[in-house]
Amino acid sequence: MTNDPRGAVRALAFLCLLCACLAARAAIPIQHWVQPSGAKIYFAASPSIPIVDVRVDFDAGGRREPGDMAGLANITADMTAKGIAAHGSEPELDENQLGEAWADLGAGLEESATSDRMSFSLRTLAYPDILPKAVALAARQLGQPSFPDEVWQRERQRLAASVREANTRPGVVAGKAYAASVYGKHPYGHEVTEESLARINVADMKRHYQMLEPCRAKVSIVGALTREQADGLATALLSRLPAAVSGKCDALPAVPDVPPLEASSLKSIPFASAQAHVLMGQPGYKRNDPDHFPLIVGNYILGGGGLVSRLAIEVREKRGLSYSAGSSFSPGLSAGAFTVSLQTRPDQAQQALQVARDVVSRFIASGPTPVELKAAKDYLVGGYPLLIDSNRKLLDNIANIAWYDLPLDYLDTWTAQVQRVTAADVKSAFGRKLHPDRMVTVTVGAPAAPAAPAGAAR
């Protein structure tokens, strides 16, 4: 225990280092319950170090933004850290005072929003003279942000400058064009622009913020607590959020799935850059898809395994066409994209793209070899302990279990599920999910559009 809040900063830093250096550990049992408010709690006790990590997730990410206000979710989350409103005898805190309050506690609350969710992550020491104060401050910030307009006007200018700067980078230009091509009008394809920033005001933030009700919260907790303490922490943390006016938790409107592509397409964007950026892909799969394990094993072989993947070997090693070439899936509540990405000299872009297309098509048609499959599973299983070797990583995994409604024993069965994947599983899963004749291709910085596959629409 410490009575010196400033000293807690040093203690927390030391304990974080200790936590990161812990040897790989077995998965910890996850306890789950639902509070009377409707909040869903997921808790893993971790008594070895006096740290508590908490993640609160809400279905208030970018997919809930109006189509002409891209960025609203992330801006709303970020603005919760710009000041707290006065309440009763509690004074207003501006952003500097709020930052100092967190520094005094040696704790922190991070806020963010992705395409799917808005998240708040608390990290604090579990000492009884620190933890209640940190939870109380987090509850104020989470439940009573002031959304100061003068701060938003400043942030809007900063963000607009950031957008202008980002648009000078070919990788950003390629990413935006690719997202628009893959997702179309689906919210996953929304991009922040100076125009969308100009449309957003404080009233929009407050309206978006109304989605953050206790009944819609998924709270993941890892730390040196008992279940009763974890339950009390969650109750306190959510206590200042607006309750449902009706006393019940109305479901939010359904968000449509990402529609499949009907045809391939090509987009070639001129850009004065030393390297051409090439992206190719299509909508992939939802995170709760039963093909998840065959797809992550297969993708390691295809393009996720760094220099040992097929794409890297064929494009980089054998032909010297690129410094890097890879593939990835980005599953979410809706079908996130499958993406092949590479950078190459502009005059080699068409050749590198054709090689990548051939590699993807052959893999879908034939699947992995036994040698490739064993190497992929050995790597993934061998690296599994690194996925949970700190409280923060464990929290990330538990938050994903909560968010995607995965089984509570997901971490315990992860390696077994990877081991069970067969070459036939990979081949059939890739055959179901990927369609080489219906992929989008975006090149930025290449001198001419690459050759189109049969049936491609320009």
Side-chain angles (χ1 to χ4, degrees):
M1 179 185 303
T2 176
N3 293 318
D4 176 12
R6 296 281 185 179
V9 177
R10 295 188 294 275
L12 181 57
F14 170 77
L15 290 168
C16 289
L17 178 62
L18 175 64
C19 181
C21 295
L22 286 175
R25 59 188 175 190
I28 297 174
I30 301 169
Q31 302 179 59
H32 169 53
W33 65 95
V34 180
Q35 293 191 320
S37 67
K40 298 177 175 62
I41 315 299
Y42 296 77
F43 169 58
S46 182
S48 59
I49 53 174
I51 288 179
V52 174
D53 284 283
V54 185
R55 171 86 61 80
V56 187
D57 289 316
F58 296 94
D59 185 359
R63 72 189 198 131
R64 295 292 178 184
E65 297 169 344
D68 60 349
M69 292 186 186
L72 176 60
N74 204 39
I75 290 165
T76 301
D78 185 62
M79 285 293 293
T80 65
K82 304 305 182 187
I84 297 177
H87 180 73
S89 62
E90 297 170 332
E92 178 182 7
L93 297 179
D94 64 23
E95 57 182 323
N96 293 326
Q97 293 168 323
L98 181 56
E100 290 173 359
W102 281 118
D104 286 344
L105 290 169
L109 181 69
E110 297 178 354
E111 55 289 323
S112 64
T114 65
S115 295
D116 281 339
R117 50 182 154 169
M118 185 181 293
S119 305
F120 299 85
S121 300
L122 171 66
R123 164 162 273 209
T124 177
L125 289 167
Y127 298 141
D129 60 335
I130 298 291
L131 179 60
K133 295 176 183 176
V135 173
L137 184 60
R140 285 194 69 191
Q141 182 175 328
L142 186 60
Q144 295 161 332
S146 56
F147 294 116
D149 184 63
E150 68 277 12
V151 175
W152 165 234
Q153 298 308 322
R154 181 199 69 199
E155 289 297 296
R156 191 200 324 250
Q157 293 183 20
R158 184 183 64 80
L159 291 171
S162 177
V163 168
R164 288 193 294 273
E165 188 280 330
N167 287 337
T168 66
R169 287 179 271 152
V172 173
V173 173
K176 290 181 176 181
Y178 179 72
S181 298
V182 171
Y183 297 122
K185 295 182 179 179
H186 190 275
Y188 279 10
H190 293 171
E191 292 290 345
V192 179
T193 64
E194 291 186 71
E195 291 73 23
S196 72
L197 292 173
R199 295 188 191 99
I200 296 172
N201 57 43
V202 166
D204 300 316
M205 298 174 207
K206 292 181 177 178
R207 189 163 43 251
H208 191 85
Y209 188 76
Q210 293 304 308
M211 285 187 279
L212 277 61
E213 296 194 37
C215 60
R216 299 186 180 124
K218 291 191 173 181
V219 185
S220 304
I221 305 171
V222 175
L225 300 172
T226 65
R227 170 173 169 147
E228 290 70 25
Q229 289 172 323
D231 190 63
L233 184 156
T235 300
L237 196 56
L238 303 175
S239 62
R240 301 197 183 213
L241 286 171
V245 175
S246 62
K248 60 181 181 180
C249 190
D250 295 326
L252 293 171
V255 176
D257 290 341
V258 176
L261 300 176
E262 296 181 355
S264 62
S265 66
L266 301 169
K267 184 177 292 184
S268 182
I269 301 174
F271 203 99
S273 58
Q275 291 282 300
H277 290 249
V278 179
L279 297 172
M280 177 181 72
Q282 60 162 87
Y285 68 98
K286 296 181 181 180
R287 177 60 184 82
N288 60 359
D289 193 292
D291 282 335
H292 176 69
F293 282 97
L295 291 171
I296 63 171
V297 173
N299 187 63
Y300 178 86
I301 299 165
L302 174 60
L307 297 180
V308 301
S309 72
R310 283 198 185 186
L311 281 168
I313 291 171
E314 295 295 330
V315 178
R316 179 183 186 277
E317 185 174 318
K318 289 186 176 179
R319 296 171 177 83
L321 295 173
S322 175
Y323 288 113
S324 64
S327 64
S328 62
F329 285 100
S330 54
L333 290 179
S334 298
F338 164 76
T339 304
V340 171
S341 61
L342 62 90
Q343 295 179 39
T344 184
R345 260 181 22 213
D347 62 305
Q348 296 177 332
Q350 292 188 42
Q351 182 185 0
L353 175 59
Q354 189 56 53
V355 173
R357 282 177 174 150
D358 292 342
V359 169
V360 172
S361 295
R362 282 199 302 272
F363 189 76
I364 295 171
S366 304
T369 67
V371 173
E372 289 175 325
L373 184 68
K374 182 180 186 306
K377 292 197 291 189
D378 287 349
Y379 177 86
L380 292 170
V381 171
Y384 171 76
L386 298 178
L387 300 178
I388 56 170
D389 66 353
S390 72
N391 276 14
R392 181 157 285 174
K393 290 181 183 178
L394 183 59
L395 180 75
D396 290 341
N397 279 285
I398 294 176
N400 281 336
I401 289 170
W403 188 249
Y404 296 114
D405 293 324
L406 302 177
L408 293 182
D409 66 351
Y410 178 79
L411 296 176
D412 297 310
T413 62
W414 195 90
T415 56
Q417 297 213 56
V418 169
Q419 292 286 22
R420 278 198 292 267
V421 172
T422 67
D425 294 335
V426 173
K427 181 174 181 293
S428 60
F430 272 72
R432 283 190 290 272
K433 295 299 186 296
L434 299 188
H435 307 283
D437 60 336
R438 284 181 279 155
M439 289 193 178
V440 302
T441 303
V442 172
T443 65
V444 173
R458 291 179 181 270

